[in-house]
Amino acid sequence: MENRKNYQKILQNTINSLQKTDKKPKLLLHVCCGPCSTIPLRQLSDKFDITLIFNNSNIYPKEEHDRRYQELLKFLEHNYPHIKVKYFDYDNDKYNKEILDPYGDMPEGHERCRACFRYRLNEGFKYASENGFEYYGTVMTISRYKNAQDINKIGEELEKQYPNVKWLYADFKKNNGYEDSLIIIRENEMYFQEYCGCIYSYNRYQAKNK
C-alpha cells in the first residue's frame, strides 16, 4: 500500500521552525479562487510575507474565471488588504489545446488533472525563482476533490528544478480545514463555485444538472 504522508503535519513543522526565528520568508502562493484562499491565508498570513499568484487559464468559461478572480480581490480587500496578487493573462483556448485536450474526457482526479496541476505549478515555480521568493505553494489542497498526495508529489518533483525555492507542503483540508472554510465563506457571503474549473468539469456539471 502507498505510504501516504501527512502534509499538514509537515506544514506545521515548517511553521514551528520559522517561529523560532524572527524571519518571515517570502512566499508565492498559487490561488484559484476566494473560497480556497480562506484557511490557507488564516494559517499563513502572519508566518510569511505572502504574494498570491492567480494563474488559472484552465477555468472555463472566461466569465467564471473573471468572477472567481473578482471574488478573491473582494475577499482580500476586506480581510487581507496588504496582500498583493500577481495576475497571469487568461488563454483558455491555448491551455486546452496544449495541456488538457490530449487526455480527453476522463473522470476528474486522473492524469488530465495531474497535467493541469503540473503545468500551473511549474509556471509558479519559475516566477518564484525569478523573483526572489523563498517558498512556493498552492491553496488547492483545501478542496475535498483535490488529491493532496498528487499535488505535493508534483511540488516535490518540481522543486528539484528550482533549487533556490522551497516547496511549501500542505494539506489544508486536514484538521477541519474544509469545514472551517465554509464558515468563513458564509460570513463573507462569498460566491462558491459548483465545479472545479476546466471545460471538462464544466460539461459534467452541466450534464448532471439538466
Side-chain angles (χ1 to χ4, degrees):
M1 182 177 292
E2 179 187 10
N3 182 23
R4 297 176 65 85
K5 294 182 180 180
N6 187 334
Y7 289 110
Q8 193 63 10
K9 184 175 181 180
I10 296 174
L11 172 63
Q12 190 57 54
N13 290 339
T14 299
I15 290 174
N16 291 342
S17 297
L18 292 175
Q19 288 179 327
K20 296 176 182 178
T21 70
D22 294 329
K23 187 178 180 183
K24 288 182 67 172
K26 289 182 64 178
L27 166 65
L28 183 67
L29 187 64
H30 167 259
V31 60
C32 46
C33 63
C36 287
S37 73
T38 53
I39 292 301
L41 290 180
R42 172 183 283 183
Q43 294 183 8
L44 303 175
S45 61
D46 61 343
K47 312 296 191 309
F48 294 88
D49 178 6
I50 298 177
T51 297
L52 299 180
I53 180 171
F54 193 87
N55 177 27
N56 301 294
S57 283
N58 59 305
I59 298 174
Y60 176 89
K62 186 178 188 300
E63 291 77 13
E64 178 72 17
H65 170 275
D66 294 349
R67 185 175 186 182
R68 295 187 192 188
Y69 180 57
Q70 291 303 320
E71 196 70 19
L72 169 66
L73 295 182
K74 185 174 71 173
F75 176 68
L76 294 176
E77 180 183 359
H78 290 97
N79 296 274
Y80 303 94
H82 62 288
I83 292 181
K84 302 291 191 296
V85 184
K86 168 61 181 177
Y87 176 86
F88 273 41
D89 290 339
Y90 179 77
D91 191 341
N92 183 252
D93 289 340
K94 179 182 177 182
Y95 195 90
N96 289 339
K97 182 178 179 180
E98 295 183 0
I99 309 302
L100 301 184
D101 289 353
Y103 297 95
D105 188 20
M106 59 178 58
E108 286 189 46
H110 292 269
E111 190 53 41
R112 188 187 66 240
C113 295
R114 287 188 283 271
C116 184
F117 298 153
R118 189 175 293 111
Y119 184 83
R120 285 182 292 155
L121 291 179
N122 184 64
E123 287 197 321
F125 253 119
K126 185 174 184 293
Y127 184 86
S129 179
E130 293 174 349
N131 290 275
F133 288 91
E134 298 162 78
Y135 283 87
Y136 174 59
T138 180
V139 305
M140 288 191 291
T141 60
I142 189 66
S143 171
R144 294 178 300 170
Y145 305 106
K146 300 290 192 301
N147 189 316
Q149 301 293 313
D150 283 350
I151 291 170
N152 282 287
K153 286 176 183 176
I154 292 169
E156 184 176 19
E157 292 168 5
L158 292 173
E159 182 184 47
K160 298 172 184 176
Q161 303 176 31
Y162 302 93
N164 58 325
V165 182
K166 297 177 183 177
W167 171 250
L168 187 69
Y169 294 95
D171 187 356
F172 292 110
K173 73 174 71 63
K174 293 286 190 181
N175 305 326
N176 294 318
Y178 177 77
E179 291 76 11
D180 290 344
S181 74
L182 296 179
I183 296 173
I184 301 174
I185 291 166
R186 287 194 295 268
E187 289 175 345
N188 286 268
E189 299 181 344
M190 301 174 74
Y191 164 65
F192 189 61
Q193 59 269 13
E194 298 292 336
Y195 64 100
C196 177
C198 78
I199 189 169
Y200 294 103
S201 63
Y202 173 80
N203 288 340
R204 286 177 180 270
Y205 168 71
Q206 293 291 94
K208 180 181 177 182
N209 288 276
K210 279 186 178 179

